[in-house]
Amino acid sequence: MQAAEDRQRTNGDRFDSAWQHHQAGRFDRAEEGYRQILQGEPRNGRVWFVLGNLLQAQQRTDEALSCFRQAAELEPREPEGHFHVANALLQQEQWAEAEAAYRKCLALKPDHVEALVNLGFALGEQQKLDEAEVCYRQALGIKPEVPEIHQNLGNVLRDRGQLDEAVTCYQRALELRPDYSKAHVNLGVAFIGRGEPEAAIKHLKRGVELQSDFAEAFNSLGAAVSVLRRFDEAHGYYARALELKPDYADAHWNRSLLWLLQGDFARGWPAYEWRWRCPRTLPKPSYTEPVWDGSSLAGRTILLFGEQGLGDTLQFVRYAPIVKAYGGRVIVQCQRSLLPIVASCPDIDQLVALGEPPPNFDVQAALMSLPLLLGGGAHSIPAAVPYLAAKAELVEHWRRQLAPLAGFRVGIVWQGNSRYPWDRHRSTKLADFEPLARVPGVQLVSLQKGPGSEQIGGAEGKAAFDVVSFGGLLDEQAGPFMDTAAIIANLDLVVTVDTAVGHLAGAMAAPVWTALNYSGDWRWLLDRDDSIWYPTVRLFRQRRPGDWADVFQRMADELQELVRGSPRRPILIEIDRQELTERIEKRIGELATAEPQRIHRLRAELARLRAVSLGTDTDRSDRGE
């Protein structure tokens, strides 16, 4: 009994001594003292806990985590042990494990504000945004005057697309702490999303005034001034962000998009590869097969996989026939919804859906990395269209369905994928198409699917003009995009915002007018009304940020002239296969020596001739110019 008391007294003295060393910053001597105690008392949870804190202060996170785990196991009813286990896991970005540990802490102490806040962060990193919001709101119910909680809640709301509510949260954080640099920067990012770049720039600049080494703020400043087409400034901000943080993937990727927008493909395509290291992009498939280097395939099998949006896949699958010419077998892995229409692309040997295991292959490449692998200068972009086609039987079916529609048929799309972060800037409203509907002889046909369709016939936002809609019948039985493609083949024109349907129509060599916002996406370059990707696409750009009225009025004026010069229904002219082939070969020959200003017109004519040769233009065998 006396020996146990003596040992306890000795360990108590050792702890006091070690604690004094700890407090004085003499970490080596403190650690030695704690470990001596644990040799005699390995089940002393308190000592494991303070040793964990000591190691954490020295950034020895793995060792600290081990100590905190011991403490939590020995004293499972003590919430702080679980809290510190969770914090160490959070530091290691082990989000799910951290979540579980925070929940153990909160089960013991539901009003543990720090645990609620950190749990919210862990949930947000796992995209469990609804649960994260609940945590932050619970924390605010306990401590409403903590600016960090308002700021974190704003981040969750912004990630969920609730920009107005996010702005309110950031502004409240700044009311509580006016010099809160992160809140200024995140408020600026939210203003970019709301289409208020001037307000964004104001707060972002304040953020870097308060924290001059804030790389993320300089990156966001680059994005904000890019929206206003102040490109030299944008390059400067991206360069500053990369000086501060050389491996900052988001800044590298944003700079690549700016280079591509400016047509600087030599720098843009290599830098575009940084996308794989950005948290906002889909992870790169974890295939172990080597990445193709652009050399001869010599009978090997290559897997080309899609990424990002549906429109991106439709745009870049054009490279599959080019890769096929390198002498191998081509497998394309793409979004399941695109499988039916991508099956019409020539020289693809096999299709497989993303998420499903592909058959054996030798080398791999991302579709959007092919311009880099194959040489992606502006004049090397493969613009031979069509490379996608509607099924002949569906084209005929919709020809009969559309036969009663008199006039010049114009297919329209006004809204893209609402989950895309920039959708509110590229999409518009059905009501904005009214100037087109007023053009005499024009019949609008809806190609809109999903969100936005409710604007036809709905009590709220109902269009005050006639639009033919096929509702839920579109693509339901034939498969995604299949009826849409067949209808496009029977239209005189497609007018769309920057959506996947626009890419589909362009890939089919259909006449397309695309409405672009002021800053525009990188693939449409700057200040052009044509597209290097799609010869039959014409671009109508906003002249002022947010001004769609001017865009659609210009379209209406052009449409009036087009309808006035077109027959009510196409005049069909017989043409035999040999003559058609000769015309195609002649236009290809002319392209090689044509002046730059004539290249686009030749490509457009070549696209129409190819469409006829593939039978995709069944309603218009040959319309003279």
Side-chain angles (χ1 to χ4, degrees), residues 131-309:
E131 295 176 69
E133 180 184 355
V134 169
C135 289
Y136 291 134
R137 293 199 184 279
Q138 286 179 351
L140 286 172
I142 302 168
K143 288 188 176 181
E145 303 304 310
V146 179
E148 289 86 353
I149 306 176
H150 290 281
Q151 203 265 159
N152 287 359
L153 176 58
N155 289 343
V156 167
L157 295 169
R158 187 190 70 205
D159 289 348
R160 207 163 56 193
Q162 297 172 250
L163 295 178
D164 295 340
E165 295 92 331
V167 165
T168 299
C169 289
Y170 297 136
Q171 289 172 334
R172 178 56 180 153
L174 290 170
E175 288 173 6
L176 295 167
R177 188 194 298 170
D179 62 351
Y180 191 179
S181 61
K182 279 189 178 180
H184 277 291
V185 170
N186 284 314
L187 178 56
V189 172
F191 276 131
I192 295 173
R194 287 209 315 190
E196 301 174 57
E198 296 288 2
I201 291 168
K202 172 187 172 183
H203 284 281
L204 291 166
K205 285 187 173 180
R206 181 58 180 151
V208 297
E209 286 173 3
L210 293 165
Q211 187 177 339
S212 60
D213 62 348
F214 203 156
E216 290 78 4
F218 284 106
N219 176 56
S220 296
L221 266 169
V225 297
S226 289
V227 172
L228 296 173
R229 298 168 66 94
R230 289 154 50 179
F231 300 129
D232 289 343
E233 284 183 68
H235 279 300
Y237 287 129
Y238 292 141
R240 178 59 180 149
L242 292 169
E243 286 175 12
L244 294 166
K245 197 173 178 180
D247 290 333
Y248 187 11
D250 277 336
H252 279 288
W253 194 29
N254 281 343
R255 185 164 66 168
S256 81
L257 298 176
L258 184 51
W259 276 327
L260 292 173
L261 177 69
Q262 294 178 305
D264 187 349
F265 295 129
R267 286 189 288 185
W269 289 126
Y272 193 68
E273 293 300 297
W274 279 90
R275 70 193 184 278
W276 298 117
R277 298 173 61 176
C278 293
R280 56 186 162 136
T281 60
L282 294 174
K284 191 174 186 178
S286 57
Y287 299 129
T288 57
E289 288 78 2
V291 174
W292 184 46
D293 60 4
S295 63
S296 172
L297 290 170
R300 292 177 296 168
T301 297
I302 184 170
L303 176 73
L304 305 177
F305 56 87
E307 51 173 302
Q308 300 183 49

Side-chain angles (χ1 to χ4, degrees), residues 408 558-568 623-625:
F408 195 88
E558 295 278 351
L559 183 58
Q560 186 163 340
E561 293 300 316
L562 181 62
V563 173
R564 186 178 296 152
S566 298
R568 283 293 181 183
R623 180 183 292 182
E625 295 294 330

